Amino acid sequence: MFEEVLFKNRRPDRPATLDEYRQSGGYEALIEAVKQRTPDEVRQLVTDSGLRGRGGAGFPTGRKWGFIPADAGFPRYVVPNTDEMEPGTFKDRVLVNIDPHLVIEGIILSGYAVRAQTGFFFIRPSYELDAQLIEREVEVARQAGFLGNNILGSEFSFELVVHRSAGRYICGEATAQVNAIQGNRAHPMKDRHMASDGLWHRPTIVNNAETLACVPHILRQGAEWFKGLARTKTGAGTKLYCVSGKVNQPGCYELPIGTPLREIIEGSAGGMMPGSELKAVMPGGASTAYMPAKYYDVEMDFDPLKAVGHRLGTAAIMVFDQNTCLVAATLNLMEYFARESCGYCTPCREGLPYIRDLLWRIEAGEGREEFIPMLQQMARHMDSSYCAFAPGAAESVLGLLKYFLDEIREHISQKKCPFAEAYRPHRKLWYPAE
Amino acid sequence: MPKLIIDQRSIEVPAGTKVIAAAEKLGIMIPRFCYHPGLGSFGACRMCAVKFLEGPVKGIEMSCMEDARDGMVVSTTDPEAMEFRQYVIEWLMMHHPLDCPVCDEGGHCLLQDETVSGGHGRRRYLGHKRTYHDQYLGVFVQHEMNRCIHCWRCRNFYQGFAGYRDYGAMQIGNRMYFGRYEDGPLESPFAGNIIDLCPTGVLTDKPCRFVGRRWDFERAPSLCLHCSLGCNTTGSARYRQMWRQEGRFNEMVNGYFICDRGRYGFAYESHPERPRRARVAGLEVAWAEAIQTAAEKLSQIAATAGPAAVACLGSARSSLETQATLQRFCRALGWSEPRYFSVPSQERQVKAAIARLEAPLAVSLREIETADFVLVVGADPVNEAPMLALALRQAWLKGGAVAVLDPRPVFLPFEFEHLPLAPGDLEAALEALTAGAGGTDLLAGGSPWPLLPKIAALGRRLTQTQRPVIVCGTGIVRESTPGLAADLVLRLREAGLNAGLFYLLPGANAFGAGLLSPAGEGLTPLMEDLETGAVKALMVVENDPFWDYPDRGRLVRALDKLELLVALDYLPSPTVQRADIVFPTLTLFERNHSSFVNQEGRLQLAPPVHLGGMPMAQISPEKHPPRTFLSHIPGGEPRTPGEILAELAAAMPAPVTLPGDDLWDWLSRKNPVFANIVSLFESPPGARLIPEAVPAGTFSPAAAPAAAERPPDYLELLLVDLIFGTEELASYSKHIQPAEEPPRLRMHPADAAKLRLSSGDRVALRLLGGTLEVDLQVAENMAPGVLVLPRHRQLNWRLAPDYRVMVAYGDIVKVEA
Amino acid sequence: MQAEIAVAEHPREQAINIMYAVQGHYGYLPDEGLLEAAELLDLTPLELEELATFYDFIYRRPVGKYVIHVCDGVVCWMFHENSVFEYLCQKLGVCAGEISADGLFTVLPTACIGFCDHAPAMLVNGRLYGPLTPLLIDEILEKLKTEYCDLVVCK
Ligand SMILES: Cc1cc2nc3c(=O)[nH]c(=O)nc-3n(C[C@H](O)[C@H](O)[C@H](O)COP(=O)(O)O)c2cc1C
Ligand code: SF4
Ligand code: FES
C-alpha cells in the first residue's frame, strides 16, 4: 500500500501541531538547509526532483525559481498561492488543515532558495478559518525560531504574512495576485516578468501551496526518491486529487502522480454513486475540458493527459454521470466565468457572456444550428485573450463541442433540454437578469 | 535595428518599436482601441491581433504587445486574424447602442470606423444591452457610459499618464464602469484629453455638444496661446465660430496632449462684446474714416510734439508677424522703438532669459521627459505651464527625480521634493548649487542658513545625475534668477553632465517680444514717459495694461494724461473700451497665418481655421438661416494688425509703404537669428530661433546682489498664476470661466498663527492703492514669509506699485462677518 | 488600524484588511465607511471604490447579520441546480441580495467555495456547510436565528 507523504500527519479531527509535525521529521529540512545548504543547492535539488507546479500550469518549480536574475536586488518576495478558486478544487484547504506546518516549512524553504525576505500567504475569504489557523501556526513557528530574523541563528531572515483576498477567481492568477497584494485591481500583468519585476517591482515567485509542501520532503529524502514516487516515467512525487461529483466518497486523496483515473474513482473515491454511470470527468478543475469515459484508464499526470489532448490542471476530478446535462453544466460554468472575469480584455469580458447567452438559449430550447459554429469559433478565439483565464473558461465549451455535440444537437432539435425531469427533481432554470 | 516583414513589405525600425507602430510606418493601420502611441501598449482590447507567420513569435498575437524583432513575418490580413478581429468587434458591439445619429462622436468614431471596415454589419447577439447611469463630470467632459467599450484608454491616461486619482474603473467583468466615485467635476486640468482618447462617444466635448459632425467643421492645425509652451492643437470652427480644440501631435513640444486651458480657452474669439467695427470716440465708424482719423491725429502729435511723443506698445501674445510689423512701422515713421511689455520687470526678466538660452543648453518639453533629474526653480508648472507638469511626470515615471524650489504650495501629480524657499532664497540656493557643482564644499564654512544642508544634499544628488534639466520660471523670481539658473547649467556641463535649461516665459510669444525688444535696459519705462507727459499718443497693439499692470491707479492717472489712445485688439479689454480710436483685429484662428515663438525659442506656425466674421449665433440666433443676404461676411471687418499698420502708414501725410511679403527678410537682416526661419514643411515640429554658435559658457558677471532681506513683520506678496482665472485670453472664455476656483490668499501656518488668522477667514489686505478682500487658506507646503495671491479675474489685485511688494503685518486684517 | 497602516511598508497592501475591518463595524461597507477607510489608506474614494466593487466579499449595500453564500460551482450545481438558492430565498422571503425581514439574513450566490466534497454546500459566517438538504438548511437557519454564535468574518 502506498504511503502518504503530504498527508502523513492526517488526523480525523484536527490539524497536526508543531510537535506532531516535528516528530514526523518536520523542519529538519529547514534546519539542514539554513545550516548546510546554500540557496542554490536547495533550488538545484528541487529542479532535480522534477517537481512541477500544482497550481494548474505545471511549470517546473526549480526552473521558475531560477528565473530570478543573478544580479536582482532585494527585497524579494515569495507568494504561496492559496486562492484556490478553481471550481472543484479544495486540496489546499485540506492540506492546510492536515499539516499547516508542512506548508509553512515549504514556504520558508522556497524563501530561502530564492533569498526572499517576505512571503505573502494569499488566501481566499471562504477559507477564513484556515487563514486564522495559518496565522496562529505562523506565530507558533515564529516562537520556535523558524520565522523571523536570523532563522536558527543563520543569516537568513524571513517573514510570512497572511494576505486575505476578498474573493475573485482571477486573484489566483499569479500576476493578478501580485496586483491584488499591492492593493491594486487584480488585473493580470502579462508584460511583466514576476521573477524580476513582481511585487513592488521586486523579484517575486508565486507558487501553489501544494507545490511548496513537497519541498521539505524533497530536501529530506532526495530528488530521486521524489521522482520514484510517481507512477509515470516523466512524473515526480505524489499528487492531491480532489474527487467530487457523482461518486460514493468524494474527497481529497493523495496518490502517486500518474495514478490512472479508473483507480482513483473506483479505489479512493469508492466508485460511482448508485444508479450513476460515468459520462465524463473534468480532470483538473473547471478550466479543463470534459474528458469522456473512454479515457477512463489514462494516467493522471501532466504528460499522459497532454498526450490525449487534456490537461491535469489542479487535478480536481469532477465526475459527471449520465443524468447530468452537460449543456446545462457548461452553462453553469459560463455563468461563473463570466461573473468572475476581471473585465480587462474583450474576449473574456464580452465573449464569455456571449457564449453563456448561446448556451442558455440552447438549454432553454431556443437553440439554433448556427450557434454551433459560433460557439466553436468563439471558444477557440478565447486563446487570444490577455491571460489564461478565458482559454481555461473555454475548455469546457470546447470539450462539450468535441465530445458531446450530439447532446447539443438534441437540445436544438427537440427545442428543449432532453434530460428528463424525472431524473432531476431539482431542475429549474435560474437565469439572472442582465 | 530589427528588420521585419509585414504584409510582404519589409521595414527596419528602431529596437523597441512595437509591431503595430512598425506597420503604421508602412502605412498599414492595424485596428486598435487600447493602444495609443502616446500612452503605450496595454493588450486589453485585443483588436490589433495579427498573425505571426515566421520568427520568434508564432500564431495570433497582439501587434501592440510584441516588439518588432528580426526575422518576423507578419500578416495583418490572415483569415484567422481577421476572423478573430471580427469577433472582437462583434463583442464590443454587443452592448454598444446604435445611437450614432445622435452621438457627437459619429463621423470621427474609431469604433464606427472599425465596425464598418471590419464588416460587422448584422447583429447576431440576441441578448439585452447593458445600460448604465451617466455621471456629471464637470463643464468640459460629457459622459455617456452606455457607449463604453472598456478599452481602458481614459483610465490609462487619467491615472497612469497624468497621475490624477479621481476617475477610474469600478465594478468588474462586463459590468465595469468608468467614472468618478460620485458626480462632480474631474479634478485633473488635463481631463479633456480623455475626450480625444476615447475611441467612441463615451467622453465627448461638452461645449461642442450637438454642434456638428466632423465634416461640418472647418478644421486646421492651430496653436495654444495660453502659456509660453506653445502646445499644438487642431481647431474646429463652424458657423463662423470656434467650437472645439483638440491636442495635435508635436514630437518636440506637447506630444499628443494639451491641458484644459488650452483646450477651452479659445472662446474669447466669440466673446459677445468682441470689437468688430472700427470706433472713433466710442462710435462705430467706417473703416476708412477710422484709418484717416488715426493717421491724422498720430501724425499731428508727432509733428507738433516730436516723434518721441508717440509710443507704441505691442505685446507678448501677438504673433511674430504683428510684433515685427509694429517695429518696422515705428522705424518707418521715425518713431521710437515699440515696447512689448507694460511691466518693465517682466521685460527685463524675459530678455535676461533669452540672452542666456544658448542653443546647446536649450531642451524641448519632450526632452524633459528623458531627464533623470529636473530641478524646478521658481515655477509652479500646473498653474504656469500646465503641460510641463505632465512632461515632468513622464520623467518621474521613467525613474527620474523632480525637485521644486518655490515658495508656493506647489502641487504636481507625482512624488517630488519641494523646498519652499522665498524668492530671495531661490537665488542664494542657485548660487550655492552652482558653487557646489564647481566643487565647493557648501557645508565647510558653517553658514547660518538653516536650509543649506538640504540644498547641499540636493546638489550632491544633482551632480550624480547624467541628464539633469533646470527649469526656471519668470513669474515670481527676481530679475537676476534666470541668469543664475543658466550659470548652474553651465557649471553642471563643465562637470561633465549633459545638463539642459528650460525657461518659462510670461506669454505665448514673450520670446518673440524679447527678441525684438531693444537690447540693454531699453527705453524708459512707458509709465514714466506717460506720467511726465513725454508721450502724448499711445498706440496699443493687442495689449491690455489693465490686465497685467500692477498699479491700476497709476495706470489710470497716466493714461488720463494722453491726448490720444489708439487700440488694436480682438479682446473687449478695458484698454479698448477707453481708447479714442479702436481697430478690431483678428484672432489667431481667423483668416491669416501667424507665427509664435515658444519659451524654448521654437517658431511655430498657425494657419487660419476659418475666415472670421460674426458668429452666426450672435447675428440671428432665432432666425437661422439669415433672411437678409449680404455680399460680405457680417462682422468680418477685423484685420490683422499688420494690415492695419500698413494702412495707417499709407494714410500718413507722408505716406510710407510697408510691404507685407518680405517681413522675414527684413527681420533677418536686422537679427541673424531670424535667418533660421524655415518652412514648417521642412520641419514640422518648428524651428528654433536661437543663435546656434555661442561662445562657450558665459557666466553672469558677478554674483547677483544679495536679495533685499524682508524686513521683520512684513510678508512678501507674490502675485501668481492659476491654471484657470488668471491667464488673460482664457479669462474671456465662457468655457473656462465656470471652471475657475474662487480666488484665495494663501499663507504659511506660522505667519497665520502670528496674525491670528485661520483658513476660511476673510482678510482685508491693505495695499498702497487700496484694500482688497479675499478668503484665506493656510497651506503647510509653502514658504513662510510670503503671501500668495492669484492675479485672478475676479479680484481687484492691481493695487501695488510693482509685482514685488512687502506687506506689513498690520496691513493684513481679518474682516469680521 | 492606523497603527497597522503606519507599520505597513506599503499601506495599500492593507486595503482589503481595512475594508474588512470597516465592514465588520458597520456590517457592510457604507459610503461613510469607505470614505474613512480611504482616508486611512491615503487613497482617494475612487481608488478604494475601484477595489471595493471589484471583490465579491466586500458588500457595498446593507446585508443581513449573516450572509449566506450559496455555492454555485458546477459540482454543487450537479446536486441542486440552483434549488438550494431558491429554497433559501423562499424560506427567508428574499431575493438575492435582500435582507430578510428579521434583519438576519442575506442570500448571495458565490463562486465555488472549495467544499465540493460536501456538495451541495454553502458558506455562512465563515463556516462551510454541506452536504445540504432542505432539512439541514432548516436546522442551520434555526440555529443561526436562536443561538448566539461568534461571527467569523474576515478580519
Ligand atoms: C485564471 C487563473 C486562476 C488561477 N488560480 C489559481 C489558484 O487559485 N491557485 C493556484 O495555486 N494557482 C492558480 N493559478 C495558476 C497560477 O497562475 C500560477 O501558475 C500558480 O500559482 C503557480 O504555482 P505553481 O507553479 O506552484 O503551480 C491560476 C491561473 C489562472 C490563469
Ligand atoms: S470610456 Fe471610452 S476610453 Fe474609457 S474605457 Fe470606455 S471606451 Fe475606453
Ligand atoms: S491595441 Fe493591441 S490589444 Fe488593444
Side-chain angles (χ1 to χ4, degrees), chain A residues 11-75:
Chain A
R11 283 173 175 68
D13 51 345
R14 62 173 176 82
T17 62
L18 175 64
D19 287 342
E20 287 161 349
Y21 179 60
R22 295 208 61 178
Q23 273 155 28
S24 73
Y27 287 111
E28 279 170 15
L30 178 64
I31 295 168
E32 194 198 345
V34 298
K35 300 218 157 119
Q36 290 166 25
R37 290 190 210 261
T38 65
D40 284 348
E41 281 166 16
V42 173
R43 178 166 59 80
Q44 194 56 47
L45 210 62
V46 172
T47 310
D48 294 344
S49 75
L51 172 63
R52 293 176 66 174
R54 307 304 198 212
F59 196 83
T61 306
R63 244 179 82 200
K64 186 191 278 185
W65 295 359
F67 285 154
I68 296 190
D71 58 351
F74 297 92

Side-chain angles (χ1 to χ4, degrees), chain A residues 52-61 64 79-86 89 91-92 124 168-177 190 206-212 287 302 314 337 387-390 392:
Chain A
R52 293 176 66 174
R54 307 304 198 212
F59 196 83
T61 306
K64 186 191 278 185
V79 178
N81 185 347
T82 317
D83 193 47
E84 195 160 75
M85 289 204 34
E86 181 72 38
T89 315
K91 61 192 179 67
D92 298 342
R124 60 180 299 188
R168 275 304 170 199
Y169 174 55
I170 189 63
C171 297
E173 202 278 340
T175 59
Q177 194 155 93
K190 283 296 157 197
V206 183
N207 273 124
N208 177 255
E210 182 193 346
T211 315
L212 296 175
S287 348
F302 295 103
T314 59
F337 283 118
C387 80
F389 179 111

Side-chain angles (χ1 to χ4, degrees), chain A residues 168 185 187 190-191 338-347 349-351 353-354 356-357 361 368 371 373-374 377-378 380-382 384-386 434, chain B residues 42-46 60 62 65 80 83-84 87-88 90-92 94-95 124-128 130 149-150 152 155 169-176:
Chain A
R168 275 304 170 199
R185 283 173 68 91
H187 298 299
K190 283 296 157 197
D191 50 346
R339 190 181 61 210
E340 295 294 312
S341 163
C342 82
Y344 187 74
C345 75
T346 310
R349 182 186 62 243
E350 310 290 358
Y354 199 151
R356 173 189 64 183
D357 184 77
R361 283 172 203 283
R368 299 184 201 158
F371 289 177
M374 283 168 73
Q377 289 163 356
M378 280 199 261
R380 196 164 37 78
H381 285 315
M382 288 300 142
S384 299
S385 49
Y386 187 76
E434 278 275 55
Chain B
F42 300 92
C45 74
R46 317 308 278 178
I60 305 282
M62 300 309 123
M65 296 295 280
E80 197 185 338
E83 185 189 280
F84 175 69
Y87 268 106
V88 173
E90 181 169 1
W91 290 327
L92 293 174
M94 277 164 73
H95 295 291
R124 296 193 290 181
Y125 179 65
L126 297 166
H128 294 292
R130 137 194 93 203
I149 57 166
H150 302 116
W152 295 92
R155 183 179 185 261
M170 288 158 287
Q171 305 288 346
I172 182 174
N174 71 349
R175 309 177 292 291
M176 232 165 10

Side-chain angles (χ1 to χ4, degrees), chain B residues 32-35 43-46 48 64:
Chain B
R32 81 281 306 271
F33 288 116
C34 64
Y35 170 83
C45 74
R46 317 308 278 178
C48 65
C64 73

Side-chain angles (χ1 to χ4, degrees), chain B residues 148-154 178 198-200 202-203:
Chain B
C148 181
I149 57 166
H150 302 116
C151 71
W152 295 92
R153 269 191 192 177
C154 53
F178 289 82
C198 179
T200 179
V202 182
L203 303 162

